[in-house]
Every structure is written in structure tokens, then in C-alpha cells.
Amino acid sequence: MPAPVAVVLRPLGLGDLLTGVPAVRGIRAAVPGHRLVLATTPALAPLAGLVEAVDEVLTAGELQPLDWDRPAPELAVDLHGKGPLSHVVVADLHPMRLLTFDSPGYPGPRWYPDEHEVRRWCRLVEEGLGVTCDPDALDLAVPPGPPVAAGVTVVHPGAAYPGRRWPPERFAAVAAHLAATGHDVRVTGGPAERALAEDVARRAGLDADAVLAGRTSSVELAGVVAAARLVVCGDTGVAHLASAYRRPSVVLFGPVSPALWGPPRRPQHVVLWHGEVHGGAGDPHGSTLDPALAAVTVDEVLAALDRLPTA
């Protein structure tokens, strides 16, 4: 007789996937005999395979019906949002058990907007499935094979929206300082961020080989971060990779408080944020640089680097 199935919905960005890993592990602990299927985006599917709790990855689009032609799962969990649009996606699988946050027509645990993203999904699993969920269980398996670059210092200047992008000239100043003090600096990013990465490298006096942006898959980027000396980045998925691999990192926050999306409290992760004196939370989708992020100076970042365990 085939094993019962649990389907978990998480088709969002890199940071979203990684902050959901402890909850996925909690689901695995709750249903150890189930086949656990994680639905995520095609770009992140290979990374999802690095979570040992996952048996199968199903590619999915955000808020799109799942391509599911099998019997109804025994359990379906919405790790996408507070509903109801994402709740419909898992409910349409007609599972025997459905776990979502509370919204009209969908009873479940309450959603608290001021809760840390990792803790939020852990609480959903704890309250809904009656298991203990460890918010610090963020680790990923290291991708197989040698990394594209090992022992390098990763500078990641990109972010999904301009409001969360620290100015390239400041990233370049940090990169130049790191290179001058013996670091093998590599500038990372997605295909759309290659021009930004090249600009940062040029300003920093780095050669073309230092630019990895647009040249790595999500798994290859994970391998670089896993083997990195340290990471400097904004509030992006790369920051969560540094947490997943416990690599020293300096993370620059602006419109979103680190209390909501910050790394775990470990000595190897340093967070810089000035939201307390710049009106608190801003717009994470903003089209202009957030004032709290603009307030972070190059000297602050260099001082934070000096505090890292291996810097």
C-alpha cells in the first residue's frame, strides 16, 4: 500500500523558501510515514531538494493551481500566506486534513503581522499538527560537487526592489576594502543583476572574473555561499543562505525590520538597521531607496566586518 502524502505549498522567493525550512521539518516530524511533497517554483526546485525532510519537489507557480493528477493527499499545508487565495490552491487538492491560517471559510491558527517569518510558520505547524518546531533548524545540505568558487567573500548588491538596494557605490567601497585586505571578492546576483554587479566590480577595481552574477544557478549560488569566507548583502535570499550554511554575514536592513526577517541570533551574523530613527517599517516594494537603509554607512559595514568571527 503506498504511503500517505503530505503536500506543502511554498512557491515564492529564495528567502521565503529558506525561512520555511524549519516548518517543513516540523511537518516531517508530525507525519514521519508520509511522502512529503514540497510545491515551489521551478527556479528553486533544485534548492528544495537540499532539504532532507522533502521526498519530492513539485514545481508550481505563485497562486496557480497545482498540477496534481494523483489521489487526494492525506494532508495539505499552506506555507504561502494568510489566505484565502493561497488556501484555495491546497484546498482544491481535497485533502483529508487541511492546515492554513485562519481566514473566512478556513479555520486555523491566527495570523500575527508582527511575527518573525520563521517563527510564524513554525507556530502554524505547532498549533495545527501538535509538534515542536525548532526555528533555528534552517540548515540546508551542501550541494554535491565542488563549488564554483570556494573560500571567497560574497558581495551581493542586488535586491528585488530599489527600496531594499543599498547604493552600488557603497557596496563597491566595501568590496574594494575587502579586496585590499586580502579577500577574494566575488559579486553575485541573478541574470537581471549582472549589470549592477559589473558596475560594483568596476568601481571596486575588481576584474571581470569577480562577477558571478548571472553565471550561477540557485544551487551553484548556494554552493558558493556554503563555502564562502563571509557574506555582505542586503535583506535578500542570499542573507538566508548565509544563515542556512552558518557563514559569517553582515546584512543591511531598510524598509523591513530584522525582527521580521532577520537572521537567527548567532555571533556570525551581524545586522545593521536604522529603522528605529527613520519611522520604523517602510515599503519593501518601494521604488526609491528606503531612508533607514540609506542611513547605513560604509564605515558601519566595515566596523561590522571587523566583528565577524572569521573576518
Side-chain angles (χ1 to χ4, degrees):
M1 184 173 180
V5 173
V7 175
V8 181
L9 182 70
R10 192 69 170 168
L12 291 160
L14 174 58
D16 304 280
L17 172 66
L18 298 177
T19 53
V21 166
V24 172
R25 289 196 166 100
I27 295 167
R28 164 54 71 211
V31 289
H34 284 47
R35 181 171 181 81
L36 198 154
V37 179
L38 177 61
T40 192
T41 65
L44 296 179
L47 265 183
L50 299 177
V51 184
E52 86 293 337
V54 174
D55 296 310
E56 179 186 343
V57 179
L58 177 69
T59 59
E62 186 173 355
L63 300 179
Q64 299 299 311
L66 295 179
D67 185 12
W68 188 262
D69 59 359
R70 296 175 242 178
E74 193 279 325
L75 171 67
V77 183
D78 181 5
L79 293 188
H80 182 285
K82 60 183 178 181
L85 294 179
S86 58
H87 295 357
V88 171
V89 175
V90 285
D92 281 351
L93 301 178
H94 305 292
M96 294 178 63
R97 288 189 292 163
L98 177 65
L99 177 57
T100 71
F101 276 111
D102 181 62
S103 71
Y106 297 92
R110 290 185 61 190
W111 174 281
Y112 300 119
D114 58 350
E115 193 168 22
H116 191 283
E117 185 73 2
V118 175
R119 180 61 196 145
R120 167 181 292 128
W121 300 111
C122 281
R123 183 175 58 81
L124 175 70
V125 172
E126 288 177 338
E127 294 185 14
L129 300 179
V131 294
T132 299
C133 191
D134 180 7
D136 202 46
L138 296 160
D139 304 62
L140 285 182
V142 176
V148 172
V152 301
T153 290
V154 171
V155 173
H156 188 87
Y161 294 92
R164 288 189 273 138
R165 292 181 202 143
W166 203 48
E169 63 272 17
R170 299 191 203 178
F171 269 115
V174 171
H177 172 85
L178 288 165
T181 53
H183 291 251
D184 182 3
V185 178
R186 304 299 171 94
V187 188
T188 58
E193 296 168 333
R194 184 163 179 83
L196 171 63
E198 289 174 340
D199 181 41
V200 169
R202 178 184 57 79
R203 292 172 184 262
L206 305 176
D207 60 34
D209 290 342
V211 177
L212 295 183
R215 296 167 48 194
T216 58
S217 66
S218 61
V219 167
E220 288 171 332
L221 178 59
V224 171
V225 173
R229 179 175 177 180
L230 60 88
V231 175
V232 183
C233 64
D235 172 21
T236 67
V238 168
H240 298 288
L241 280 175
S243 296
Y245 291 116
R246 300 176 182 261
R247 303 314 304 146
S249 62
V250 175
V251 186
L252 317 181
F253 278 80
V256 178
S257 167
L260 301 179
W261 282 88
R265 294 183 179 275
R266 301 172 184 158
Q268 66 264 48
H269 306 309
V270 177
V271 168
L272 299 177
W273 188 58
H274 294 298
E276 307 94 332
V277 294
H278 286 276
D283 180 5
H285 307 115
S287 59
T288 58
L289 178 64
D290 183 81
L293 183 57
V296 177
T297 68
V298 171
D299 286 343
E300 280 184 279
V301 175
L302 299 183
L305 288 167
D306 289 338
R307 301 203 301 271
L308 291 179
T310 63

